[in-house]
Amino acid sequence: MMDCKKALSEAKGDLEQAVIILRKRGAAVAERKAGRVTSEGSVASYIHAGGKIGVLVEVNCESDFVARTEDFKELVHDVAMHIAASDPKFVRKEDVTPEAYAREKEIYLAQALATGKPQHIAEKIVAGKMEKFYEEVCLYEQPFIKDQTISISQLIASKIGKLGENIAVRRFARFKVGDANATVAFTSGKPDEGEAGAPALK
């Protein structure tokens, strides 16, 4: 409540500006806490309506106390629901395998050159398309399904700002009826930072 009052005061009563201030503060807090160990947390499941899609996700935080809060539980549920709806293949940009990156880059470059663009222009086009590729396949880069104005990383940052602890998605698995290849993704951070040191798989 105090943070909201301060933000409203700073924004001179402008609600939209106050929300922007609070979101920026959340990102700043998240950045300061990014190196802290996240060895607690929760594993949650989400089954989409009709039972055709199911998700298991592990989200880590620093303490069991925070893991039991309603805010943390809500975040874990929202992340699981988002994964069910958006089908990411990796947790973060850093987890994209070199093979997946090279394959997409090669396709985009061939497409740009096929339109007759010179090599240097084609490479600029590819750079822009690779950012879009990250947004499509990386959980943290995707727009949150319940609020398209923020990404999943910004959603997590806002919870870090509110709860005062580092929070990270460690891994997830997504299953779809009839799809022989379940998506299983791990973050590639160091295990001592509370993240699994395994590559993303498909």
Side-chain angles (χ1 to χ4, degrees):
M1 284 297 287
M2 288 307 296
D3 285 342
C4 292
K5 283 182 180 176
K6 283 179 190 172
L8 266 173
S9 172
E10 197 176 318
K12 298 183 173 65
D14 184 331
L15 257 173
E16 282 185 30
Q17 192 59 36
V19 169
I20 291 168
I21 290 166
L22 285 169
R23 282 174 58 187
K24 284 180 180 174
R25 283 191 188 144
V29 170
E31 205 170 302
R32 285 197 304 274
K33 296 182 184 297
R36 286 167 46 172
V37 175
T38 54
S39 57
E40 291 294 336
S42 157
V43 173
S45 63
Y46 175 80
I47 306 299
H48 193 60
K52 300 290 188 185
I53 298 172
V55 170
L56 275 176
V57 64
E58 179 180 349
V59 181
N60 296 140
C61 58
E62 296 176 45
S63 72
D64 188 49
F65 171 77
V66 162
R68 291 195 308 264
T69 63
E70 286 308 312
D71 278 307
F72 186 80
K73 289 176 185 174
E74 179 187 44
L75 172 66
V76 177
H77 176 267
D78 281 346
V79 169
M81 184 173 59
H82 175 91
I83 292 167
S86 298
D87 193 16
K89 306 300 181 199
F90 306 94
V91 179
R92 308 166 191 245
K93 278 184 180 182
E94 297 82 8
D95 304 323
V96 174
T97 61
E99 297 80 15
Y101 181 87
R103 182 179 63 241
E104 290 303 313
K105 191 172 180 184
E106 187 181 327
I107 291 166
Y108 292 145
L109 186 59
Q111 287 172 346
L113 291 172
T115 64
K117 299 280 191 299
Q119 182 77 24
H120 70 284
I121 299 291
E123 284 173 7
K124 285 181 181 174
I125 292 168
V126 168
K129 288 199 171 191
M130 288 312 292
E131 283 306 309
K132 187 70 180 164
F133 166 71
Y134 284 135
E135 193 177 296
E136 288 170 4
V137 302
C138 300
L139 173 65
Y140 273 41
E141 303 301 313
Q142 291 181 330
F144 179 36
I145 56 160
K146 287 167 82 173
D147 180 357
Q148 298 280 307
T149 66
I150 62 170
S151 65
I152 290 294
S153 65
Q154 289 170 324
L155 172 69
I156 292 169
S158 71
K159 293 292 184 182
I160 292 171
K162 186 172 184 182
L163 296 170
E165 287 193 5
N166 191 18
I167 297 169
V169 175
R170 184 174 185 182
R171 53 190 162 186
F172 66 82
R174 182 182 184 274
F175 304 90
K176 183 178 180 183
V177 171
D179 185 353
N181 299 312
T183 299
V184 181
F186 300 83
T187 192
S188 58
K190 298 174 188 172
D192 65 352
E193 291 171 357
E195 297 177 347
L201 306 170
K202 173 127 195 310

